[in-house]
């Protein structure tokens, strides 16, 4: 599914016109297919640590007698196929492979202690960026600036994150840049880093760019089968009859979960189609009803004996400038988008059926982060989601679980197709990838966050917005 403008500027007259006028020429993004490898093309591992930077082998070990650096450890993870039997071509120096089209460049900057340390990796990165392949990946790994013990360390770590954001804006041809930010209890060899590498290096993260994702601990376990990490688990997806929710349901089912698809009775027919397609069950339910959580829990436990994952996806918009806002528009959005989730979470968390490594992901929005004209009600509700997730994460951790949010930007769905043409076209292009995302991009991000390998990622908001250029 490529939008019409993207097709137009890649063929014949449209291509010539776009080149002459300097118009955006977004490339169709590479997306996950079942048999495709996680990593495409050679991976270059650069380091801000001088000893590792001098390593020139493809074995993952640097020259000399230095203890293994974090960059060595990352190179070894890659050489071990990121936990599967995939053969990955790993290089430690750009000079060993002159003229290479890189699939990925990883900059390991966990050991920086001063902003002056950055040049050792950032300048070599600059030299290889032109050789980054279509839909290539740049991934930075650093530590949390807020946990630094000295201003110079904090400055260096924050500078890594900011470099990442600027690099993401300089990349073209569908390439992305993101950062893993490790907390004090997280190591580069921990399972969540493995999980994050498998996500960020693969086409599953096609529309995620410019994002720092904090990994707070090494908690999590490697699934027996990376293709079915959710085997044996039961997931509930609200608003699953169409759009992003239908895609989340399909993606979690692909990953092995048995899925309860929830939507309002009026969407019953399409809900049944989604549930049949993924061999799940359909549950017609308005999530604002006072007994919604009880009905969901009873349904999941009666059918499958358990509930492991809840995805709060159902959401509505009722746009108006605040000056023209009425009670109904304000209250209905707040009730569906946030109040219902707070009430359901209270109920789920009080139930012993939801105490075995429970996982929740809630749909926020970039409007809840940056604000949006005409969306005070919607932005408030989605900001509420972010506040709820941050505060609830420790409660889930008590039971070995997590709660996170994804914040989509412009995603091609029925919701966004209702935006007037000119506004829609501008909204769609104003991100670093110059196109709208697909529902599957949100779904893949959620699948990454609920993976048993990602338990060390808790209380974060991951934007799936192609790095929106306007707002935060
Ligand atoms: P959509 O309108 O296509 O689908 C939403 C689904 O939720 C519908 O099937 C609807 O029937 C269901 N729903 C609404 N109220 C409900 C209720 N009370 N009980 C049960 N089900 C209910 O929307 P979408 O574009 O797929 O968006 C899904 C989520 O992603 C929403 O939370 C939305 O706010 C968020 N989001 C979407 C975008 C985007 O660009 N599409 C951007 C940012 C955030």
């Amino acid at each position: 599914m490529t939008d019409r403008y993207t097709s137009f500027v890649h063929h014949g007259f449209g291509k010539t016109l776009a080149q002459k006028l300097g118009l955006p020429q977004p490339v169709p993004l590479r997306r996950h297919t079942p048999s495709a490898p996680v990593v495409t093309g050679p991976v270059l591992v650069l380091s801000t640590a001088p000893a590792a930077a001098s390593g020139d082998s493809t074995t993952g070990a640097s020259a000399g007698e230095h203890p293994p650096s974090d960059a060595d450890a990352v190179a070894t993870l890659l050489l071990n196929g990121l936990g599967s039997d995939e053969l990955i071509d790993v290089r430690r120096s750009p000079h060993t492979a002159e003229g290479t089209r890189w699939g990925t460049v990883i900059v390991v900057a966990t050991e920086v202690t001063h902003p002056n340390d950055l040049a050792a990796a950032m300048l070599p990165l600059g030299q290889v960026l032109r050789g980054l392949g279509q839909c290539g990946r740049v991934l930075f790994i650093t530590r949390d600036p807020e946990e630094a013990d000295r201003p110079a360390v904090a400055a260096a770590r924050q500078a890594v994150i900011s470099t990442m954001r600027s690099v993401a804006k300089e990349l073209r041809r569908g390439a992305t840049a993101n950062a893993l930010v490790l907390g004090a209890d997280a190591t580069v060899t921990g399972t969540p880093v493995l999980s994050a590498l498998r996500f960020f290096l693969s086409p599953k993260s096609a529309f995620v760019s410019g994002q720092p994702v904090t990994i707070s601990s090494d908690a999590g376990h490697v699934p027996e089968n990376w293709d079915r990490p959710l085997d044996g688990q039961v997931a509930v997806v609200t608003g699953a009859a169409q759009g992003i929710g239908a895609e989340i349901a399909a993606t979690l089912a692909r990953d092995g979960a048995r899925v309860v698809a929830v939507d309002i009775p009026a969407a019953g027919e399409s809900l049944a189609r989604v549930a049949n397609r993924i061999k799940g069950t359909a549950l017609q339910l308005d999530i604002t009803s006072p007994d919604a959580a009880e009905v969901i829990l009873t349904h999941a436990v009666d059918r499958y004996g358990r509930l492991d994952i809840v995805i709060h996806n159902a959401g509505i918009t009722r746009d108006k400038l605040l000056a023209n806002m009425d009670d109904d528009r304000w209250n209905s959005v707040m009730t569906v988008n946030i109040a219902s989730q707070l009430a359901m979470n209270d109920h789920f968390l009080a139930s012993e059926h939801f105490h075995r490594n429970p996982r929740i992901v809630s749909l926020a929005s970039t409007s809840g982060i940056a604000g949006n004209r005409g969306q005070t009600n919607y932005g408030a509700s989605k900001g509420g989601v972010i506040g709820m997730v941050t505060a609830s994460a420790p409660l889930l951790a008590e039971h070995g679980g997590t709660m996170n949010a994804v914040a989509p930007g412009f995603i091609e769905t029925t919701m966004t197709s209702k935006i007037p043409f000119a506004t829609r076209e501008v909204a769609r292009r104003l991100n670093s990838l110059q196109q709208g995302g697909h529902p599957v991009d949100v779904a893949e991000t959620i699948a990454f966050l609920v993976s048993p390998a990602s338990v060390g990622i808790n209380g974060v908001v991951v934007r799936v917005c192609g790095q929106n250029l306007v707002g935060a």
Side-chain angles (χ1 to χ4, degrees), residues 74 78 82 84 118 131 219 251 280 285 339 347 351 362 396 418 446:
V74 169
L78 291 156
L82 293 178
S84 54
L118 266 59
T251 304
L285 173 73
H347 193 91
S351 165
S362 191
L396 276 286
K418 289 180 192 147
I446 290 171

Side-chain angles (χ1 to χ4, degrees), residues 238-246 248 262-267 270-271 283-289 312-318 332 335-337 340-341 344 362-367 375 378 381-382 385 406-419 437 439 442 464:
T238 67
Q242 64 177 40
I244 294 172
I248 297 167
V262 174
D263 212 302
I264 46 173
S270 40
L271 183 68
L283 175 59
Q284 294 186 14
L285 173 73
D286 185 333
I287 55 158
T288 64
S289 64
H312 291 303
N313 164 77
I316 57 170
T317 49
R318 298 284 183 272
S332 57
T335 307
V336 175
N337 292 5
S340 68
Q341 296 187 17
M344 284 192 282
S362 191
L363 271 283
S365 163
T366 49
S367 298
Q375 290 200 317
Y378 183 75
S381 71
K382 295 300 187 178
V385 163
V406 292
F410 186 99
I411 306 293
E412 307 282 357
T413 65
T414 317
M415 193 181 258
T416 48
S417 68
K418 289 180 192 147
I419 302 172
V442 181
V464 185

Side-chain angles (χ1 to χ4, degrees), residues 356-378:
R356 189 171 32 187
N357 313 121
R359 316 296 290 274
I360 302 179
V361 179
S362 191
L363 271 283
S365 163
T366 49
S367 298
I369 298 170
N372 201 13
R373 187 180 153 83
Q375 290 200 317
T376 47
N377 51 353
Y378 183 75

Side-chain angles (χ1 to χ4, degrees), residues 16 23 221 253 269 302 336 377 431 454:
T16 316
L23 296 175
H221 70 266
E269 261 181 48
D302 284 355
V336 175
N377 51 353
N431 62 66
S454 301

Side-chain angles (χ1 to χ4, degrees), residues 263-454:
D263 212 302
I264 46 173
E269 261 181 48
S270 40
L271 183 68
R273 273 197 299 277
V274 170
N276 287 341
R277 207 163 48 230
I278 62 170
K279 300 189 172 56
T281 54
L283 175 59
Q284 294 186 14
L285 173 73
D286 185 333
I287 55 158
T288 64
S289 64
D291 61 348
E294 182 58 41
V295 173
I296 288 173
L297 207 52
T298 306
H299 178 101
V301 173
D302 284 355
R303 298 289 169 107
Y304 303 115
R306 58 193 288 164
L307 177 61
D308 305 282
I309 299 167
V310 173
I311 312 298
H312 291 303
N313 164 77
I316 57 170
T317 49
R318 298 284 183 272
D319 296 358
K320 268 284 180 228
L321 294 178
L322 185 59
N324 302 326
M325 188 68 68
D326 55 51
D327 289 11
D328 185 51
R329 280 196 165 82
W330 183 272
N331 290 326
S332 57
V333 168
M334 294 303 260
T335 307
V336 175
N337 292 5
I338 178 65
S340 68
Q341 296 187 17
L342 286 164
M344 284 192 282
N345 289 350
D346 282 349
H347 193 91
F348 290 139
L349 284 168
S351 165
E352 58 177 20
H353 291 294
F354 198 58
H355 284 175
R356 189 171 32 187
N357 313 121
R359 316 296 290 274
I360 302 179
V361 179
S362 191
L363 271 283
S365 163
T366 49
S367 298
I369 298 170
N372 201 13
R373 187 180 153 83
Q375 290 200 317
T376 47
N377 51 353
Y378 183 75
S381 71
K382 295 300 187 178
V385 163
I386 293 169
M388 172 185 73
V389 163
T390 316
S392 308
L395 305 178
L396 276 286
E398 280 173 25
H399 301 292
T402 61
M403 181 153 176
N404 293 296
V406 292
F410 186 99
I411 306 293
E412 307 282 357
T413 65
T414 317
M415 193 181 258
T416 48
S417 68
K418 289 180 192 147
I419 302 172
F421 173 78
T423 317
R424 186 169 75 231
E425 190 51 24
V426 171
R428 185 184 264 150
R429 300 292 155 220
L430 279 184
N431 62 66
S432 295
L433 296 167
Q434 303 173 325
Q435 58 194 287
H438 293 185
V440 72
D441 301 326
V442 181
E444 295 287 12
T445 308
I446 290 171
F448 154 60
L449 290 171
V450 300
S451 161
S454 301

Side-chain angles (χ1 to χ4, degrees), residues 8-360:
F8 176 69
V9 294
H10 282 284
H11 298 100
F13 171 68
K15 187 174 177 179
T16 316
L17 190 70
Q19 281 168 347
K20 282 216 167 113
L21 297 179
L23 296 175
Q25 283 188 287
V27 301
L29 302 181
R30 184 161 53 229
R31 293 201 161 78
H32 174 75
T33 50
S35 54
V38 173
V39 177
T40 310
V43 182
L44 174 63
V45 180
L46 296 171
S47 173
T48 48
S54 69
D56 63 356
S57 73
T58 54
T59 64
S62 61
E65 292 174 7
H66 298 280
S69 67
D70 280 351
D72 295 333
V74 169
T76 305
L77 279 178
L78 291 156
L79 286 164
N80 291 336
L82 293 178
S84 54
D85 52 11
E86 190 168 318
L87 279 179
I88 302 175
D89 178 359
V90 186
R91 311 295 175 103
R92 296 298 303 281
S93 161
H95 311 299
T96 57
E98 215 73 59
T100 301
R101 275 252 155 244
W102 301 103
T104 296
V105 184
I106 300 179
V107 177
V108 182
T110 45
E111 290 147 322
V112 284
T113 56
H114 192 280
N116 288 348
D117 296 347
L118 266 59
M122 301 313 177
L123 297 176
L125 171 66
Q127 295 305 304
V128 297
L129 280 185
R130 282 205 176 82
L132 192 66
Q134 184 153 323
C135 300
R137 297 283 183 263
V138 179
L139 189 69
F140 296 79
I141 308 179
T142 190
R143 290 203 163 271
D144 192 343
E146 289 180 18
E147 293 178 357
D149 56 359
R150 279 175 295 129
V153 177
R157 293 175 178 179
Q158 192 66 50
V160 174
I161 297 169
S162 297
T163 309
M164 175 279 288
R165 289 199 169 104
S166 295
V167 167
K169 289 183 176 175
E170 291 184 9
L171 293 174
R172 286 291 172 263
R173 302 169 65 240
T176 64
N178 292 287
L180 308 184
V181 181
L182 310 190
D185 294 333
T187 63
V188 287
T189 51
T191 305
V193 169
L194 184 63
S195 180
L197 287 170
R198 293 184 67 90
F199 176 67
F200 281 108
L201 269 47
S202 79
K204 289 182 177 178
S205 62
F207 199 60
V208 183
S209 195
Q211 300 310 302
V213 172
T214 299
I215 298 180
S216 34
S217 79
D218 284 350
H221 70 266
V222 172
E224 267 173 40
N225 180 351
W226 280 110
D227 289 333
R228 294 186 63 84
L230 303 180
D231 256 342
Q233 300 204 30
V234 177
V236 167
V237 182
T238 67
Q242 64 177 40
I244 294 172
E247 203 62 47
I248 297 167
T251 304
L252 299 186
R254 175 204 70 189
D255 281 0
R258 283 162 299 173
V259 177
V260 178
V262 174
D263 212 302
I264 46 173
E269 261 181 48
S270 40
L271 183 68
R273 273 197 299 277
V274 170
N276 287 341
R277 207 163 48 230
I278 62 170
K279 300 189 172 56
T281 54
L283 175 59
Q284 294 186 14
L285 173 73
D286 185 333
I287 55 158
T288 64
S289 64
D291 61 348
E294 182 58 41
V295 173
I296 288 173
L297 207 52
T298 306
H299 178 101
V301 173
D302 284 355
R303 298 289 169 107
Y304 303 115
R306 58 193 288 164
L307 177 61
D308 305 282
I309 299 167
V310 173
I311 312 298
H312 291 303
N313 164 77
I316 57 170
T317 49
R318 298 284 183 272
D319 296 358
K320 268 284 180 228
L321 294 178
L322 185 59
N324 302 326
M325 188 68 68
D326 55 51
D327 289 11
D328 185 51
R329 280 196 165 82
W330 183 272
N331 290 326
S332 57
V333 168
M334 294 303 260
T335 307
V336 175
N337 292 5
I338 178 65
S340 68
Q341 296 187 17
L342 286 164
M344 284 192 282
N345 289 350
D346 282 349
H347 193 91
F348 290 139
L349 284 168
S351 165
E352 58 177 20
H353 291 294
F354 198 58
H355 284 175
R356 189 171 32 187
N357 313 121
R359 316 296 290 274
I360 302 179

